[in-house]
PDB file of all heavy atoms in Angstrom:
ATOM      1  N   GLY A  52     -23.899 -10.383 -33.514  1.00  0.00           N
ATOM      2  CA  GLY A  52     -24.676  -9.671 -34.512  1.00  0.00           C
ATOM      3  C   GLY A  52     -24.460  -8.175 -34.497  1.00  0.00           C
ATOM      4  O   GLY A  52     -23.700  -7.643 -33.689  1.00  0.00           O
ATOM      5  N   ALA A  53     -25.146  -7.513 -35.413  1.00  0.00           N
ATOM      6  CA  ALA A  53     -25.009  -6.057 -35.550  1.00  0.00           C
ATOM      7  C   ALA A  53     -26.309  -5.464 -36.062  1.00  0.00           C
ATOM      8  O   ALA A  53     -27.136  -6.148 -36.654  1.00  0.00           O
ATOM      9  CB  ALA A  53     -23.871  -5.724 -36.520  1.00  0.00           C
ATOM     10  N   CYS A  54     -26.459  -4.168 -35.824  1.00  0.00           N
ATOM     11  CA  CYS A  54     -27.568  -3.402 -36.383  1.00  0.00           C
ATOM     12  C   CYS A  54     -26.963  -2.365 -37.322  1.00  0.00           C
ATOM     13  O   CYS A  54     -26.035  -1.642 -36.953  1.00  0.00           O
ATOM     14  CB  CYS A  54     -28.366  -2.720 -35.282  1.00  0.00           C
ATOM     15  SG  CYS A  54     -29.715  -1.679 -35.908  1.00  0.00           S
ATOM     16  N   LEU A  55     -27.496  -2.317 -38.536  1.00  0.00           N
ATOM     17  CA  LEU A  55     -27.029  -1.386 -39.551  1.00  0.00           C
ATOM     18  C   LEU A  55     -28.157  -0.462 -39.970  1.00  0.00           C
ATOM     19  O   LEU A  55     -29.304  -0.890 -40.054  1.00  0.00           O
ATOM     20  CB  LEU A  55     -26.563  -2.153 -40.793  1.00  0.00           C
ATOM     21  CG  LEU A  55     -25.474  -3.185 -40.590  1.00  0.00           C
ATOM     22  CD1 LEU A  55     -25.331  -4.032 -41.850  1.00  0.00           C
ATOM     23  CD2 LEU A  55     -24.168  -2.511 -40.258  1.00  0.00           C
ATOM     24  N   GLN A  56     -27.833   0.779 -40.253  1.00  0.00           N
ATOM     25  CA  GLN A  56     -28.811   1.705 -40.818  1.00  0.00           C
ATOM     26  C   GLN A  56     -28.468   1.889 -42.292  1.00  0.00           C
ATOM     27  O   GLN A  56     -27.321   2.171 -42.647  1.00  0.00           O
ATOM     28  CB  GLN A  56     -28.776   3.050 -40.109  1.00  0.00           C
ATOM     29  CG  GLN A  56     -29.778   4.018 -40.694  1.00  0.00           C
ATOM     30  CD  GLN A  56     -29.603   5.424 -40.174  1.00  0.00           C
ATOM     31  OE1 GLN A  56     -28.803   5.688 -39.297  1.00  0.00           O
ATOM     32  NE2 GLN A  56     -30.355   6.339 -40.744  1.00  0.00           N
ATOM     33  N   MET A  57     -29.501   1.715 -43.148  1.00  0.00           N
ATOM     34  CA  MET A  57     -29.318   1.837 -44.595  1.00  0.00           C
ATOM     35  C   MET A  57     -30.430   2.675 -45.195  1.00  0.00           C
ATOM     36  O   MET A  57     -31.419   2.961 -44.530  1.00  0.00           O
ATOM     37  CB  MET A  57     -29.333   0.442 -45.240  1.00  0.00           C
ATOM     38  CG  MET A  57     -28.203  -0.452 -44.797  1.00  0.00           C
ATOM     39  SD  MET A  57     -28.295  -2.086 -45.541  1.00  0.00           S
ATOM     40  CE  MET A  57     -28.458  -1.722 -47.266  1.00  0.00           C
ATOM     41  N   ASP A  58     -30.274   2.995 -46.466  1.00  0.00           N
ATOM     42  CA  ASP A  58     -31.302   3.792 -47.143  1.00  0.00           C
ATOM     43  C   ASP A  58     -32.257   2.935 -47.962  1.00  0.00           C
ATOM     44  O   ASP A  58     -33.142   3.460 -48.624  1.00  0.00           O
ATOM     45  CB  ASP A  58     -30.662   4.859 -48.026  1.00  0.00           C
ATOM     46  CG  ASP A  58     -29.777   4.296 -49.120  1.00  0.00           C
ATOM     47  OD1 ASP A  58     -29.585   3.055 -49.169  1.00  0.00           O
ATOM     48  OD2 ASP A  58     -29.256   5.089 -49.922  1.00  0.00           O
ATOM     49  N   ARG A  59     -32.104   1.608 -47.932  1.00  0.00           N
ATOM     50  CA  ARG A  59     -32.998   0.722 -48.681  1.00  0.00           C
ATOM     51  C   ARG A  59     -33.281  -0.534 -47.869  1.00  0.00           C
ATOM     52  O   ARG A  59     -32.474  -0.943 -47.051  1.00  0.00           O
ATOM     53  CB  ARG A  59     -32.404   0.367 -50.030  1.00  0.00           C
ATOM     54  CG  ARG A  59     -31.177  -0.513 -49.908  1.00  0.00           C
ATOM     55  CD  ARG A  59     -30.671  -0.992 -51.238  1.00  0.00           C
ATOM     56  NE  ARG A  59     -29.837   0.019 -51.849  1.00  0.00           N
ATOM     57  CZ  ARG A  59     -29.274  -0.100 -53.031  1.00  0.00           C
ATOM     58  NH1 ARG A  59     -29.477  -1.167 -53.737  1.00  0.00           N
ATOM     59  NH2 ARG A  59     -28.521   0.837 -53.514  1.00  0.00           N
ATOM     60  N   PRO A  60     -34.423  -1.165 -48.127  1.00  0.00           N
ATOM     61  CA  PRO A  60     -34.737  -2.402 -47.415  1.00  0.00           C
ATOM     62  C   PRO A  60     -33.968  -3.589 -48.002  1.00  0.00           C
ATOM     63  O   PRO A  60     -33.544  -3.562 -49.161  1.00  0.00           O
ATOM     64  CB  PRO A  60     -36.236  -2.575 -47.635  1.00  0.00           C
ATOM     65  CG  PRO A  60     -36.488  -1.893 -48.944  1.00  0.00           C
ATOM     66  CD  PRO A  60     -35.510  -0.740 -49.003  1.00  0.00           C
ATOM     67  N   VAL A  61     -33.791  -4.613 -47.179  1.00  0.00           N
ATOM     68  CA  VAL A  61     -33.162  -5.860 -47.603  1.00  0.00           C
ATOM     69  C   VAL A  61     -34.036  -6.994 -47.080  1.00  0.00           C
ATOM     70  O   VAL A  61     -34.498  -6.959 -45.934  1.00  0.00           O
ATOM     71  CB  VAL A  61     -31.722  -5.973 -47.057  1.00  0.00           C
ATOM     72  CG1 VAL A  61     -31.111  -7.320 -47.409  1.00  0.00           C
ATOM     73  CG2 VAL A  61     -30.849  -4.835 -47.593  1.00  0.00           C
ATOM     74  N   ALA A  62     -34.255  -8.013 -47.907  1.00  0.00           N
ATOM     75  CA  ALA A  62     -35.137  -9.119 -47.545  1.00  0.00           C
ATOM     76  C   ALA A  62     -34.583  -9.942 -46.380  1.00  0.00           C
ATOM     77  O   ALA A  62     -33.366 -10.125 -46.256  1.00  0.00           O
ATOM     78  CB  ALA A  62     -35.342 -10.025 -48.759  1.00  0.00           C
ATOM     79  N   LEU A  63     -35.490 -10.429 -45.543  1.00  0.00           N
ATOM     80  CA  LEU A  63     -35.102 -11.299 -44.442  1.00  0.00           C
ATOM     81  C   LEU A  63     -34.410 -12.540 -44.994  1.00  0.00           C
ATOM     82  O   LEU A  63     -34.782 -13.051 -46.050  1.00  0.00           O
ATOM     83  CB  LEU A  63     -36.325 -11.712 -43.627  1.00  0.00           C
ATOM     84  CG  LEU A  63     -37.123 -10.581 -42.982  1.00  0.00           C
ATOM     85  CD1 LEU A  63     -38.264 -11.152 -42.155  1.00  0.00           C
ATOM     86  CD2 LEU A  63     -36.245  -9.690 -42.141  1.00  0.00           C
ATOM     87  N   GLY A  64     -33.407 -13.013 -44.286  1.00  0.00           N
ATOM     88  CA  GLY A  64     -32.673 -14.194 -44.705  1.00  0.00           C
ATOM     89  C   GLY A  64     -31.542 -13.931 -45.679  1.00  0.00           C
ATOM     90  O   GLY A  64     -30.768 -14.831 -46.002  1.00  0.00           O
ATOM     91  N   THR A  65     -31.413 -12.687 -46.162  1.00  0.00           N
ATOM     92  CA  THR A  65     -30.353 -12.344 -47.101  1.00  0.00           C
ATOM     93  C   THR A  65     -28.992 -12.495 -46.434  1.00  0.00           C
ATOM     94  O   THR A  65     -28.789 -12.040 -45.312  1.00  0.00           O
ATOM     95  CB  THR A  65     -30.521 -10.895 -47.603  1.00  0.00           C
ATOM     96  OG1 THR A  65     -31.770 -10.787 -48.289  1.00  0.00           O
ATOM     97  CG2 THR A  65     -29.395 -10.469 -48.522  1.00  0.00           C
ATOM     98  N   VAL A  66     -28.062 -13.141 -47.139  1.00  0.00           N
ATOM     99  CA  VAL A  66     -26.688 -13.272 -46.644  1.00  0.00           C
ATOM    100  C   VAL A  66     -25.999 -11.920 -46.828  1.00  0.00           C
ATOM    101  O   VAL A  66     -26.077 -11.310 -47.898  1.00  0.00           O
ATOM    102  CB  VAL A  66     -25.930 -14.379 -47.409  1.00  0.00           C
ATOM    103  CG1 VAL A  66     -24.470 -14.429 -46.974  1.00  0.00           C
ATOM    104  CG2 VAL A  66     -26.605 -15.721 -47.177  1.00  0.00           C
TER     105      VAL A  66
END
Side-chain angles (χ1 to χ4, degrees):
C54 177
L55 303 169
Q56 180 190 354
M57 297 178 52
D58 61 356
R59 68 174 83 182
V61 176
L63 300 183
T65 298
V66 175

